[in-house]
Amino acid sequence: ITELLMNEATTPGGQRKCRSLKPSTDLTKIESMQEETAAAFTRIVKKGHLSFSGCYPIEESMKRLEVGAALNAAELLRIAKVLTAAGRAKAYGRHETIEELADCLDSYFDMLEPVSLLSTEIDRCIISEDEISDDASPALHSVRRTIRNINDKIHGAMNNLLNSSTTRSYLQDAVITMRNGRYCLPVKAEYKNQVPGMVHDQSSTGSTLFIEPMAVVNLNNELKELYLKEQEEISVILANLSDLTSEYIPYIREDYRILTELDFIFAKASLAKIYNGTAPIFNENGYIHIRKGRHPLLNKHKVVPIDVTLGDAFDLLIITGPNTGGKTVSLKTVGLFTLMGQAGLHIPANDRSELCVFHEVFADIGDEQSIEQSLST
């Protein structure tokens, strides 16, 4: 059941909560968890599923910000995605009409703070993990414009050499190549003295030398300096964004916590929708009344629903029947429903089914017993 539940959660944190799901013996807590599942179920039916995409763990980044470190582009984008997810969830949580009744999930949605100022600024400056926008700062825009101009000059000078019939006869191929970040021409080894410039590399056979023509050496030097300036400016931009982000650490942490909790709650509701579950009524008097209960791991089109009553007019129940007639399935269904219900999960049974809060659940099943393979003891 917990594996099926994990499949319905979309965030790593939500999946972790699903994996560690345990039944409770506190009636108040059980009823609160059931109420949350029911509220999420109602919202899914009315509005469809809530997307938690982009809600990735951000705690490591938060710790780095607290010690004054600058985050990289990938970390900042991840934070922006968490804030975007918070904004999406907050919009989903709003009631569209006055008539819509408030529910127990409103407090979660109300606590979300999307910090749109921060997420908008991050998205404005960072295009992807490997690309910073030209408009992230005036200085970066200026440096990149100069880089484009220098590149154009270098290509112009290189093309002039390529178009020169004399130079072309010295080349292995009429192409411009890059070696160690410098623009070079592939010159035949025997003509290396005919093309003045700096040798940066040679082919594996030694027949081709990659020469940077003297005409572009200064331009290439300038270009290298500009690329260093570009990296410096990107570092400044990331540091500024990190400083801005550090102002909102408590909000980001709380958003992530709430989104993880909501993902977990909506996973429970989504699972209930798959097997058409309902919220059981709980008591502490040892009374069980399951109405048309269906074992959740059996094919819902083939499973035979069962009615089980125990603990009211009588408290001893003997189940008889032929081999593979469904006795063990019935017993397992009662036990599984008890554990599911006390863990806040809806049960695949009709409305008004009742369960008791038990502090211990035992299983005594013979060997070679398998519901899936229809094997009975």
Side-chain angles (χ1 to χ4, degrees):
I1 294 294
T2 51
E3 281 178 20
L4 290 174
L5 185 61
M6 280 175 63
N7 290 339
E8 297 307 308
T10 53
T11 69
Q15 289 172 340
R16 200 160 46 247
K17 289 183 78 71
C18 292
R19 192 186 300 116
S20 59
L21 181 66
K22 292 283 187 294
S24 171
T25 54
D26 181 336
L27 181 58
T28 305
K29 186 181 178 186
I30 291 167
E31 288 175 339
S32 171
M33 291 190 297
Q34 285 288 350
E35 188 186 358
E36 287 177 347
T37 305
F41 187 100
T42 302
R43 285 179 183 258
I44 288 173
V45 171
K46 282 185 178 179
K47 298 182 175 183
H49 289 271
L50 169 57
S51 169
F52 294 95
S53 67
C55 187
Y56 296 106
I58 40 84
E59 185 52 33
E60 286 302 313
S61 300
M62 295 297 100
K63 286 177 181 173
R64 279 163 43 70
L65 283 177
E66 283 177 330
V67 297
L71 303 183
N72 59 37
E75 289 176 294
L76 288 163
L77 276 179
R78 205 173 296 134
I79 289 166
K81 284 176 181 173
V82 168
L83 294 175
T84 301
R88 191 166 56 236
K90 199 168 184 74
Y92 177 95
R94 291 191 191 100
H95 295 294
E96 292 169 6
T97 60
I98 301 171
E99 291 75 29
E100 270 190 354
L101 294 173
D103 62 31
C104 59
L105 298 182
D106 284 337
S107 58
Y108 287 107
F109 291 114
D110 290 343
M111 284 190 290
L112 286 170
E113 181 47 70
V115 198
S116 51
L117 177 148
L118 175 59
S119 60
T120 303
E121 182 63 8
I122 291 173
D123 289 336
R124 183 186 74 80
C125 294
I126 305 174
I127 296 170
S128 71
E129 292 184 12
D130 307 311
E131 189 178 359
I132 306 296
S133 167
D134 287 2
D135 298 323
S137 77
L140 184 63
H141 190 278
S142 172
V143 167
R144 285 186 172 169
R145 189 175 63 241
T146 309
I147 286 173
R148 284 192 290 272
N149 290 338
I150 298 293
N151 266 316
D152 288 344
K153 286 180 183 177
I154 291 171
H155 276 98
M158 298 290 270
N159 282 324
N160 287 338
L161 289 170
L162 284 180
N163 293 329
S164 159
S165 55
T166 309
T167 306
R168 187 178 292 183
S169 63
Y170 302 145
L171 303 181
Q172 201 71 263
D173 294 296
V175 293
I176 301 169
T177 65
M178 289 289 282
R179 285 295 183 276
N180 305 320
R182 319 280 290 194
Y183 288 98
C184 300
L185 293 175
V187 180
K188 294 173 185 174
E190 61 267 29
Y191 295 119
K192 66 177 181 181
N193 295 324
Q194 306 302 317
V195 180
M198 297 172 66
V199 178
H200 285 285
D201 199 3
Q202 67 176 17
S203 65
S204 55
T205 59
S207 60
T208 306
L209 299 178
F210 296 95
I211 296 176
E212 177 187 7
M214 288 307 295
V216 297
V217 168
N218 288 337
L219 288 172
N220 268 333
N221 288 342
E222 200 175 330
L223 194 60
K224 206 152 193 177
E225 286 176 22
L226 285 167
Y227 281 134
L228 289 173
K229 273 188 187 174
E230 180 190 30
Q231 289 309 311
E232 285 171 13
E233 188 52 35
I234 287 172
S235 296
V236 169
I237 291 163
L238 294 177
N240 290 340
L241 284 173
S242 298
D243 286 344
L244 179 61
T245 305
S246 66
E247 295 174 24
Y248 300 99
I249 289 173
Y251 298 107
I252 298 166
R253 272 201 174 116
E254 185 69 352
D255 283 346
Y256 179 76
R257 185 191 69 78
I258 293 167
L259 288 170
T260 299
E261 190 66 37
L262 284 171
D263 185 31
F264 169 58
I265 293 168
F266 274 84
K268 291 191 288 185
S270 183
L271 186 63
K273 187 168 182 284
I274 289 170
Y275 55 60
N276 197 22
T278 61
I281 300 164
F282 273 94
N283 67 81
E284 292 184 295
N285 306 316
Y287 178 53
I288 293 173
H289 181 198
I290 294 171
R291 305 172 68 246
K292 295 285 181 282
R294 306 170 302 281
H295 194 291
L297 301 183
L298 295 179
N299 186 320
K300 62 182 177 182
H301 302 296
K302 294 180 181 177
V303 64
V304 178
I306 59 167
D307 293 309
V308 180
T309 302
L310 184 63
D312 185 16
F314 55 91
D315 54 17
L316 178 65
L317 181 65
I318 298 174
I319 304 176
T320 68
N323 278 348
T324 67
K327 298 185 298 297
T328 307
V329 173
S330 299
L331 289 167
K332 282 188 169 183
T333 300
V334 177
L336 189 54
F337 277 14
T338 297
L339 296 172
M340 288 172 66
Q342 288 181 216
L345 296 171
H346 283 3
I347 58 172
N350 284 7
D351 273 344
R352 302 191 312 284
S353 289
E354 295 185 55
L355 294 173
C356 170
V357 177
F358 287 101
H359 288 256
E360 295 177 302
V361 175
F362 298 95
D364 184 6
I365 297 167
D367 35 298
E368 297 308 317
Q369 171 68 51
S370 169
I371 289 176
E372 287 179 320
Q373 297 172 36
S374 291
L375 292 177
S376 179
T377 50

